[in-house]
Coordinates of all heavy atoms in Angstrom, one line a residue:
M15 N 22.6 5.6 12.0 CA 23.4 5.3 10.9 C 23.6 3.8 10.7 O 23.5 3.3 9.6 CB 24.7 5.9 11.1 CG 25.7 5.8 10.0 SD 25.1 6.7 8.6 CE 26.4 6.3 7.5
L16 N 23.8 3.1 11.8 CA 23.9 1.6 11.7 C 22.6 0.9 11.3 O 22.7 0.0 10.5 CB 24.4 1.1 13.1 CG 24.7 -0.5 13.1 CD1 25.8 -0.8 12.2 CD2 25.0 -0.9 14.5
Q17 N 21.5 1.4 11.7 CA 20.2 0.9 11.3 C 20.0 1.0 9.8 O 19.4 0.1 9.2 CB 19.1 1.5 12.1 CG 19.0 1.1 13.6 CD 18.0 1.9 14.3 OE1 17.4 2.9 13.9 NE2 17.7 1.4 15.5
E18 N 20.4 2.2 9.3 CA 20.2 2.4 7.9 C 21.0 1.5 7.0 O 20.6 1.0 6.0 CB 20.5 3.9 7.5 CG 19.5 4.8 8.2 CD 20.0 6.3 8.0 OE1 21.0 6.5 7.4 OE2 19.2 7.2 8.3
I19 N 22.2 1.2 7.5 CA 23.1 0.3 6.7 C 22.6 -1.1 6.8 O 22.6 -1.8 5.8 CB 24.6 0.4 7.3 CG1 25.2 1.8 7.0 CG2 25.4 -0.7 6.7 CD1 26.5 2.1 7.6
L20 N 22.1 -1.5 8.0 CA 21.6 -2.8 8.2 C 20.3 -3.0 7.3 O 20.1 -4.0 6.7 CB 21.3 -3.0 9.7 CG 20.7 -4.4 10.0 CD1 21.8 -5.5 9.7 CD2 20.4 -4.5 11.5
L21 N 19.5 -2.0 7.3 CA 18.3 -2.0 6.4 C 18.7 -2.1 5.0 O 18.0 -2.9 4.2 CB 17.4 -0.8 6.7 CG 16.2 -0.7 5.8 CD1 15.2 -1.8 6.2 CD2 15.5 0.6 6.0
L22 N 19.7 -1.4 4.5 CA 20.1 -1.5 3.1 C 20.6 -2.9 2.8 O 20.3 -3.4 1.7 CB 21.2 -0.4 2.9 CG 21.8 -0.3 1.5 CD1 20.7 0.1 0.5 CD2 22.9 0.6 1.4
V23 N 21.4 -3.5 3.7 CA 21.9 -4.8 3.5 C 20.8 -5.8 3.4 O 20.8 -6.7 2.5 CB 22.9 -5.2 4.6 CG1 23.3 -6.7 4.5 CG2 24.2 -4.4 4.5
V24 N 19.8 -5.7 4.2 CA 18.6 -6.6 4.2 C 17.9 -6.4 2.9 O 17.5 -7.4 2.3 CB 17.7 -6.4 5.4 CG1 16.4 -7.1 5.3 CG2 18.4 -6.8 6.7
L25 N 17.7 -5.2 2.5 CA 16.9 -5.0 1.2 C 17.7 -5.5 0.0 O 17.1 -6.1 -0.9 CB 16.7 -3.5 1.0 CG 15.6 -2.9 1.9 CD1 15.6 -1.4 1.7 CD2 14.3 -3.5 1.6
I26 N 19.0 -5.4 0.0 CA 19.8 -6.0 -1.1 C 19.7 -7.5 -1.1 O 19.6 -8.1 -2.2 CB 21.3 -5.5 -1.0 CG1 21.4 -4.0 -1.3 CG2 22.2 -6.3 -1.9 CD1 22.8 -3.4 -1.0
I27 N 19.7 -8.1 0.1 CA 19.6 -9.6 0.1 C 18.2 -10.0 -0.4 O 18.1 -11.0 -1.1 CB 19.9 -10.1 1.6 CG1 21.3 -9.9 1.9 CG2 19.5 -11.5 1.7 CD1 21.7 -10.2 3.4
V28 N 17.2 -9.3 0.1 CA 15.8 -9.7 -0.4 C 15.7 -9.5 -1.9 O 15.2 -10.3 -2.6 CB 14.8 -8.8 0.3 CG1 13.4 -8.9 -0.3 CG2 14.7 -9.2 1.8
A29 N 16.3 -8.4 -2.5 CA 16.3 -8.2 -3.9 C 17.0 -9.3 -4.7 O 16.5 -9.7 -5.7 CB 16.9 -6.8 -4.2
I30 N 18.1 -9.7 -4.2 CA 18.9 -10.8 -4.8 C 18.1 -12.1 -4.8 O 18.0 -12.8 -5.8 CB 20.2 -11.0 -4.1 CG1 21.2 -9.8 -4.4 CG2 20.9 -12.3 -4.6 CD1 22.4 -9.8 -3.6
L31 N 17.4 -12.4 -3.7 CA 16.6 -13.6 -3.6 C 15.4 -13.5 -4.5 O 15.0 -14.5 -5.2 CB 16.1 -13.8 -2.2 CG 17.2 -14.2 -1.1 CD1 16.6 -14.3 0.3 CD2 17.8 -15.5 -1.5
V32 N 14.8 -12.4 -4.7 CA 13.6 -12.2 -5.6 C 14.1 -12.4 -7.0 O 13.4 -13.0 -7.8 CB 12.9 -10.9 -5.4 CG1 11.9 -10.5 -6.5 CG2 12.2 -10.9 -4.0
I33 N 15.2 -11.8 -7.4 CA 15.7 -11.9 -8.7 C 16.1 -13.3 -9.0 O 15.8 -13.8 -10.2 CB 16.9 -10.9 -8.9 CG1 16.4 -9.5 -8.9 CG2 17.6 -11.2 -10.2 CD1 17.5 -8.4 -8.9
R34 N 16.6 -14.0 -8.1 CA 17.0 -15.4 -8.3 C 15.8 -16.3 -8.5 O 15.7 -17.1 -9.3 CB 17.8 -15.9 -7.1 CG 18.4 -17.3 -7.3 CD 19.3 -17.7 -6.2 NE 19.7 -19.0 -6.3 CZ 20.2 -19.8 -5.4 NH1 20.4 -19.3 -4.2 NH2 20.5 -21.0 -5.6
F35 N 14.7 -16.0 -7.7 CA 13.5 -16.8 -7.8 C 12.8 -16.5 -9.1 O 12.4 -17.5 -9.8 CB 12.5 -16.4 -6.7 CG 11.2 -17.0 -6.8 CD1 11.0 -18.3 -6.4 CD2 10.1 -16.3 -7.3 CE1 9.8 -18.9 -6.4 CE2 8.9 -16.9 -7.4 CZ 8.7 -18.2 -7.0
L36 N 12.8 -15.3 -9.6 CA 12.2 -15.0 -10.9 C 13.0 -15.6 -12.0 O 12.4 -16.0 -13.0 CB 12.0 -13.5 -11.0 CG 10.9 -12.9 -10.2 CD1 10.9 -11.4 -10.4 CD2 9.6 -13.5 -10.5
S37 N 14.3 -15.6 -11.9 CA 15.1 -16.2 -13.0 C 14.9 -17.7 -13.1 O 15.0 -18.3 -14.2 CB 16.6 -15.8 -12.8 OG 17.1 -16.5 -11.7
E38 N 14.7 -18.4 -11.9 CA 14.5 -19.8 -12.0 C 13.1 -20.2 -12.4 O 12.9 -21.2 -13.1 CB 14.8 -20.4 -10.6 CG 16.3 -20.4 -10.3 CD 16.6 -20.9 -8.9 OE1 15.6 -21.5 -8.3 OE2 17.7 -20.7 -8.4
Y39 N 12.1 -19.5 -11.8 CA 10.7 -19.9 -12.0 C 9.9 -19.0 -12.9 O 8.7 -19.2 -13.0 CB 10.0 -20.1 -10.7 CG 10.7 -21.1 -9.8 CD1 11.4 -20.8 -8.7 CD2 10.6 -22.5 -10.1 CE1 12.0 -21.7 -7.9 CE2 11.2 -23.4 -9.3 CZ 11.9 -23.0 -8.2 OH 12.5 -24.0 -7.4
G40 N 10.5 -18.0 -13.4 CA 9.8 -16.9 -14.2 C 9.1 -17.5 -15.4 O 8.0 -17.2 -15.7
S41 N 9.8 -18.4 -16.2 CA 9.2 -18.9 -17.4 C 8.0 -19.8 -17.0 O 7.0 -19.8 -17.7 CB 10.2 -19.6 -18.2 OG 10.7 -20.8 -17.5
F42 N 8.1 -20.5 -15.9 CA 7.0 -21.4 -15.5 C 5.8 -20.6 -15.1 O 4.6 -20.9 -15.5 CB 7.5 -22.3 -14.3 CG 6.5 -23.2 -13.8 CD1 6.1 -24.3 -14.6 CD2 5.9 -23.0 -12.6 CE1 5.2 -25.2 -14.1 CE2 4.9 -23.9 -12.1 CZ 4.6 -25.0 -12.9
I43 N 6.0 -19.5 -14.4 CA 4.9 -18.6 -14.0 C 4.2 -18.0 -15.2 O 3.0 -17.9 -15.3 CB 5.4 -17.5 -13.0 CG1 5.8 -18.2 -11.7 CG2 4.3 -16.5 -12.8 CD1 6.5 -17.3 -10.8
V44 N 5.0 -17.6 -16.2 CA 4.5 -17.0 -17.4 C 3.7 -18.0 -18.2 O 2.6 -17.7 -18.7 CB 5.6 -16.4 -18.3 CG1 5.1 -16.0 -19.7 CG2 6.3 -15.2 -17.6
K45 N 4.1 -19.3 -18.2 CA 3.4 -20.3 -18.9 C 2.0 -20.6 -18.3 O 1.0 -20.8 -19.0 CB 4.2 -21.6 -18.9 CG 5.4 -21.6 -19.9 CD 6.1 -22.9 -19.8 CE 7.4 -22.9 -20.6 NZ 8.2 -24.1 -20.5
I46 N 2.0 -20.5 -17.0 CA 0.7 -20.7 -16.2 C -0.2 -19.6 -16.5 O -1.4 -19.8 -16.8 CB 1.0 -20.8 -14.7 CG1 1.6 -22.2 -14.5 CG2 -0.3 -20.7 -14.0 CD1 2.0 -22.4 -13.0
I47 N 0.3 -18.3 -16.5 CA -0.6 -17.2 -16.8 C -1.1 -17.2 -18.3 O -2.3 -17.0 -18.5 CB 0.2 -15.9 -16.6 CG1 0.5 -15.7 -15.1 CG2 -0.5 -14.7 -17.1 CD1 1.4 -14.6 -14.7
L48 N -0.3 -17.6 -19.2 CA -0.7 -17.8 -20.6 C -1.8 -18.9 -20.8 O -2.7 -18.7 -21.5 CB 0.5 -18.0 -21.5 CG 1.4 -16.8 -21.8 CD1 2.5 -17.2 -22.6 CD2 0.6 -15.7 -22.4
H49 N -1.6 -20.0 -20.0 CA -2.5 -21.1 -20.1 C -3.9 -20.6 -19.6 O -4.9 -20.9 -20.2 CB -2.0 -22.2 -19.1 CG -2.7 -23.5 -19.3 ND1 -2.5 -24.3 -20.4 CD2 -3.5 -24.1 -18.4 CE1 -3.3 -25.4 -20.2 NE2 -3.8 -25.3 -19.0
L50 N -3.9 -19.9 -18.5 CA -5.2 -19.3 -17.9 C -5.8 -18.3 -19.0 O -7.0 -18.4 -19.3 CB -4.9 -18.5 -16.7 CG -4.6 -19.3 -15.4 CD1 -4.0 -18.4 -14.3 CD2 -5.8 -20.0 -14.9
A51 N -5.0 -17.5 -19.5 CA -5.5 -16.5 -20.5 C -6.1 -17.1 -21.7 O -7.2 -16.8 -22.2 CB -4.4 -15.4 -20.9
F52 N -5.4 -18.1 -22.3 CA -5.9 -18.7 -23.5 C -7.2 -19.5 -23.2 O -8.1 -19.5 -24.1 CB -4.9 -19.7 -24.1 CG -3.8 -19.0 -24.8 CD1 -2.5 -19.4 -24.7 CD2 -4.0 -17.9 -25.6 CE1 -1.4 -18.8 -25.3 CE2 -3.0 -17.2 -26.3 CZ -1.7 -17.7 -26.1
G53 N -7.4 -20.1 -22.1 CA -8.6 -20.8 -21.7 C -9.7 -19.8 -21.6 O -10.9 -20.1 -22.1
W54 N -9.5 -18.7 -21.0 CA -10.6 -17.7 -20.8 C -10.9 -17.0 -22.1 O -12.1 -16.8 -22.4 CB -10.2 -16.7 -19.8 CG -10.2 -17.2 -18.4 CD1 -10.8 -18.3 -17.9 CD2 -9.4 -16.7 -17.3 NE1 -10.5 -18.5 -16.6 CE2 -9.7 -17.5 -16.2 CE3 -8.5 -15.7 -17.1 CZ2 -9.1 -17.4 -14.9 CZ3 -7.9 -15.5 -15.9 CH2 -8.2 -16.3 -14.8
I55 N -10.0 -16.8 -22.9 CA -10.2 -16.2 -24.3 C -11.0 -17.1 -25.1 O -12.0 -16.7 -25.8 CB -8.9 -15.8 -24.9 CG1 -8.3 -14.6 -24.2 CG2 -9.1 -15.4 -26.4 CD1 -6.9 -14.2 -24.7
L56 N -10.7 -18.4 -25.1 CA -11.4 -19.4 -25.9 C -12.8 -19.6 -25.4 O -13.8 -19.7 -26.2 CB -10.7 -20.8 -25.8 CG -11.2 -21.8 -26.7 CD1 -11.2 -21.4 -28.2 CD2 -10.5 -23.1 -26.5
L57 N -13.0 -19.5 -24.1 CA -14.4 -19.5 -23.5 C -15.2 -18.4 -24.0 O -16.4 -18.6 -24.4 CB -14.3 -19.5 -22.0 CG -15.6 -19.6 -21.3 CD1 -16.3 -20.9 -21.5 CD2 -15.4 -19.4 -19.8
G58 N -14.7 -17.2 -24.1 CA -15.4 -16.0 -24.6 C -15.7 -16.2 -26.1 O -16.8 -15.8 -26.6
I59 N -14.7 -16.7 -26.9 CA -15.0 -16.9 -28.3 C -16.0 -17.9 -28.6 O -16.9 -17.8 -29.4 CB -13.6 -17.3 -29.0 CG1 -12.7 -16.1 -29.0 CG2 -13.9 -17.8 -30.4 CD1 -11.3 -16.4 -29.5
I60 N -16.0 -19.0 -27.8 CA -17.0 -20.1 -28.0 C -18.4 -19.5 -27.7 O -19.4 -19.9 -28.3 CB -16.7 -21.3 -27.1 CG1 -15.5 -22.0 -27.8 CG2 -17.8 -22.2 -27.0 CD1 -14.9 -23.1 -27.0
N61 N -18.5 -18.7 -26.7 CA -19.9 -18.1 -26.4 C -20.4 -17.2 -27.4 O -21.6 -16.9 -27.5 CB -19.8 -17.3 -25.0 CG -20.0 -18.3 -23.9 OD1 -20.6 -19.4 -24.0 ND2 -19.5 -17.9 -22.7
I62 N -19.5 -16.7 -28.3 CA -20.0 -15.8 -29.4 C -20.5 -16.7 -30.5 O -21.4 -16.3 -31.2 CB -18.8 -15.0 -29.9 CG1 -18.4 -13.9 -28.9 CG2 -19.1 -14.3 -31.2 CD1 -17.1 -13.2 -29.2
L63 N -20.0 -17.9 -30.7 CA -20.5 -18.8 -31.8 C -21.9 -19.2 -31.6 O -22.4 -19.4 -30.4 CB -19.6 -20.1 -31.8 CG -18.1 -19.8 -32.1 CD1 -17.4 -21.2 -32.0 CD2 -17.9 -19.3 -33.5
P64 N -22.7 -19.3 -32.6 CA -24.1 -19.7 -32.5 C -24.2 -21.2 -32.2 O -23.4 -22.0 -32.7 CB -24.7 -19.3 -33.9 CG -23.5 -19.3 -34.8 CD -22.3 -18.9 -34.0
G65 N -25.1 -21.6 -31.4 CA -25.4 -23.0 -31.2 C -24.8 -23.5 -29.9 O -25.2 -24.5 -29.4
V66 N -23.7 -22.8 -29.4 CA -23.1 -23.3 -28.2 C -23.1 -22.2 -27.2 O -22.6 -21.1 -27.5 CB -21.6 -23.7 -28.4 CG1 -21.0 -24.2 -27.2 CG2 -21.6 -24.9 -29.5
Y67 N -23.7 -22.4 -26.1 CA -23.7 -21.4 -25.0 C -23.3 -22.0 -23.7 O -23.9 -22.9 -23.2 CB -25.1 -20.7 -24.8 CG -25.1 -19.8 -23.7 CD1 -24.5 -18.6 -23.7 CD2 -25.8 -20.1 -22.5 CE1 -24.5 -17.7 -22.7 CE2 -25.8 -19.3 -21.4 CZ -25.2 -18.0 -21.5 OH -25.1 -17.2 -20.4
I68 N -22.2 -21.5 -23.2 CA -21.7 -22.0 -21.9 C -21.9 -20.8 -20.9 O -21.3 -19.8 -21.2 CB -20.2 -22.4 -22.0 CG1 -20.0 -23.5 -23.0 CG2 -19.7 -22.8 -20.7 CD1 -18.6 -23.9 -23.3
P69 N -22.7 -21.0 -19.9 CA -22.9 -19.9 -19.0 C -21.6 -19.5 -18.3 O -20.8 -20.4 -17.9 CB -23.9 -20.4 -18.0 CG -23.9 -21.9 -18.1 CD -23.4 -22.2 -19.5
I70 N -21.3 -18.2 -18.1 CA -20.2 -17.7 -17.4 C -20.5 -17.7 -15.9 O -21.1 -16.8 -15.5 CB -19.7 -16.4 -17.9 CG1 -19.6 -16.4 -19.4 CG2 -18.5 -15.9 -17.2 CD1 -18.4 -17.2 -19.9
N71 N -20.0 -18.7 -15.2 CA -20.1 -18.7 -13.7 C -18.8 -19.1 -13.2 O -17.8 -19.4 -13.9 CB -21.3 -19.6 -13.3 CG -21.1 -21.0 -13.8 OD1 -20.0 -21.5 -14.0 ND2 -22.2 -21.7 -14.0
L72 N -18.7 -19.1 -11.9 CA -17.4 -19.3 -11.2 C -16.8 -20.7 -11.5 O -15.6 -20.8 -11.8 CB -17.6 -19.1 -9.7 CG -16.3 -19.2 -8.9 CD1 -15.3 -18.1 -9.3 CD2 -16.6 -19.1 -7.4
L73 N -17.6 -21.7 -11.5 CA -17.2 -23.1 -11.8 C -16.6 -23.2 -13.2 O -15.5 -23.7 -13.4 CB -18.3 -24.1 -11.6 CG -17.9 -25.5 -11.8 CD1 -16.8 -26.0 -10.9 CD2 -19.1 -26.4 -11.7
N74 N -17.3 -22.6 -14.2 CA -16.8 -22.7 -15.6 C -15.6 -21.9 -15.8 O -14.7 -22.2 -16.6 CB -17.9 -22.2 -16.5 CG -19.0 -23.2 -16.6 OD1 -18.9 -24.4 -16.2 ND2 -20.2 -22.8 -17.1
I75 N -15.5 -20.7 -15.1 CA -14.3 -19.9 -15.2 C -13.0 -20.7 -14.6 O -12.0 -20.6 -15.2 CB -14.4 -18.6 -14.5 CG1 -15.4 -17.7 -15.3 CG2 -13.1 -17.8 -14.3 CD1 -15.8 -16.4 -14.7
I76 N -13.3 -21.3 -13.5 CA -12.2 -22.1 -12.9 C -11.8 -23.3 -13.8 O -10.6 -23.5 -14.0 CB -12.6 -22.6 -11.5 CG1 -12.7 -21.4 -10.5 CG2 -11.6 -23.7 -11.0 CD1 -13.3 -21.8 -9.2
I77 N -12.7 -24.0 -14.3 CA -12.4 -25.1 -15.2 C -11.7 -24.6 -16.5 O -10.7 -25.2 -16.9 CB -13.7 -25.9 -15.6 CG1 -14.2 -26.6 -14.4 CG2 -13.4 -26.9 -16.7 CD1 -15.6 -27.3 -14.6
S78 N -12.2 -23.6 -17.0 CA -11.6 -23.0 -18.3 C -10.2 -22.5 -18.0 O -9.3 -22.6 -18.8 CB -12.5 -22.0 -18.8 OG -11.9 -21.4 -20.0
G79 N -10.0 -21.8 -16.8 CA -8.7 -21.2 -16.5 C -7.7 -22.2 -16.2 O -6.6 -22.2 -16.8
F80 N -8.0 -23.1 -15.3 CA -7.0 -24.1 -14.9 C -6.8 -25.2 -15.9 O -5.8 -25.8 -16.1 CB -7.3 -24.7 -13.5 CG -7.1 -23.8 -12.4 CD1 -8.1 -23.3 -11.7 CD2 -5.8 -23.3 -12.1 CE1 -7.9 -22.4 -10.6 CE2 -5.5 -22.4 -11.1 CZ -6.6 -22.0 -10.4
G81 N -7.9 -25.5 -16.7 CA -7.8 -26.5 -17.7 C -7.3 -26.0 -19.1 O -6.9 -26.7 -19.9
G82 N -7.3 -24.7 -19.2 CA -6.8 -24.0 -20.4 C -7.7 -24.4 -21.6 O -8.9 -24.4 -21.5
V83 N -7.1 -24.6 -22.7 CA -7.8 -24.9 -23.9 C -8.5 -26.3 -23.8 O -9.7 -26.4 -24.2 CB -6.8 -24.9 -25.2 CG1 -7.5 -25.4 -26.4 CG2 -6.3 -23.6 -25.4
L84 N -7.9 -27.3 -23.2 CA -8.5 -28.6 -23.0 C -9.7 -28.5 -22.0 O -10.7 -29.2 -22.3 CB -7.5 -29.6 -22.5 CG -6.3 -29.9 -23.5 CD1 -5.3 -30.8 -22.8 CD2 -6.9 -30.5 -24.7
G85 N -9.6 -27.7 -21.0 CA -10.7 -27.5 -20.1 C -11.9 -26.9 -20.7 O -13.0 -27.2 -20.5
T86 N -11.6 -25.9 -21.6 CA -12.7 -25.3 -22.3 C -13.3 -26.2 -23.3 O -14.6 -26.3 -23.4 CB -12.1 -24.0 -23.1 OG1 -11.5 -23.1 -22.1 CG2 -13.3 -23.2 -23.7
L87 N -12.5 -27.0 -24.0 CA -13.1 -28.0 -24.9 C -13.9 -29.0 -24.2 O -15.0 -29.5 -24.7 CB -12.0 -28.6 -25.8 CG -11.3 -27.7 -26.8 CD1 -10.2 -28.4 -27.4 CD2 -12.3 -27.1 -27.8
L88 N -13.5 -29.4 -23.0 CA -14.2 -30.3 -22.1 C -15.6 -29.7 -21.8 O -16.6 -30.4 -21.8 CB -13.4 -30.7 -20.9 CG -14.1 -31.6 -19.9 CD1 -14.3 -33.0 -20.5 CD2 -13.4 -31.6 -18.6
L89 N -15.6 -28.4 -21.4 CA -16.9 -27.7 -21.1 C -17.8 -27.7 -22.3 O -19.0 -28.0 -22.2 CB -16.6 -26.3 -20.7 CG -16.1 -26.1 -19.3 CD1 -15.7 -24.6 -19.1 CD2 -17.2 -26.5 -18.3
V90 N -17.2 -27.5 -23.5 CA -18.1 -27.5 -24.7 C -18.7 -28.9 -24.9 O -19.9 -29.0 -25.2 CB -17.2 -27.1 -26.0 CG1 -18.0 -27.3 -27.2 CG2 -16.8 -25.6 -25.8
I91 N -17.9 -29.9 -24.8 CA -18.4 -31.3 -25.0 C -19.5 -31.6 -24.0 O -20.6 -32.1 -24.4 CB -17.3 -32.3 -24.9 CG1 -16.4 -32.1 -26.1 CG2 -17.8 -33.7 -24.8 CD1 -15.0 -32.9 -26.0
V92 N -19.3 -31.2 -22.7 CA -20.3 -31.5 -21.7 C -21.6 -30.7 -22.0 O -22.7 -31.3 -21.9 CB -19.8 -31.1 -20.3 CG1 -20.8 -31.1 -19.3 CG2 -18.7 -32.1 -19.9
Y93 N -21.5 -29.4 -22.4 CA -22.7 -28.7 -22.6 C -23.4 -29.1 -23.9 O -24.6 -28.9 -24.0 CB -22.4 -27.2 -22.6 CG -22.4 -26.6 -21.2 CD1 -21.2 -26.4 -20.5 CD2 -23.6 -26.4 -20.5 CE1 -21.2 -25.9 -19.2 CE2 -23.6 -25.9 -19.2 CZ -22.4 -25.7 -18.6 OH -22.3 -25.2 -17.3
V94 N -22.7 -29.6 -24.9 CA -23.3 -30.0 -26.1 C -24.0 -31.4 -25.9 O -25.2 -31.6 -26.4 CB -22.3 -30.2 -27.3 CG1 -22.8 -31.0 -28.4 CG2 -21.8 -28.8 -27.7
I95 N -23.5 -32.2 -25.1 CA -24.1 -33.5 -24.7 C -25.3 -33.3 -23.9 O -26.4 -33.9 -24.1 CB -23.1 -34.4 -24.0 CG1 -22.0 -34.9 -25.0 CG2 -23.8 -35.6 -23.4 CD1 -21.0 -35.7 -24.4
L96 N -25.3 -32.4 -22.9 CA -26.4 -32.1 -22.1 C -27.3 -31.2 -22.7 O -28.4 -31.0 -22.6 CB -25.9 -31.5 -20.7 CG -25.1 -32.4 -19.9 CD1 -24.6 -31.7 -18.6 CD2 -25.8 -33.7 -19.5

């Protein structure tokens, strides 16, 4: 009985800490996820356009994801110049 009560208290404390973390940093995490998604979506759209082909490989996905729209535009400029 005591172990169950102790487990319940620990779970409540962990839940409170997770909710507090998400309330403080949740909007920041959502912004990062949207930044990644917009970069990858733009990379896919650019590959549909005629005249510009950026190969989909791990390096380009990383640049496009972490760079977002600016990273994708940088890839377009590099591949157009080369």
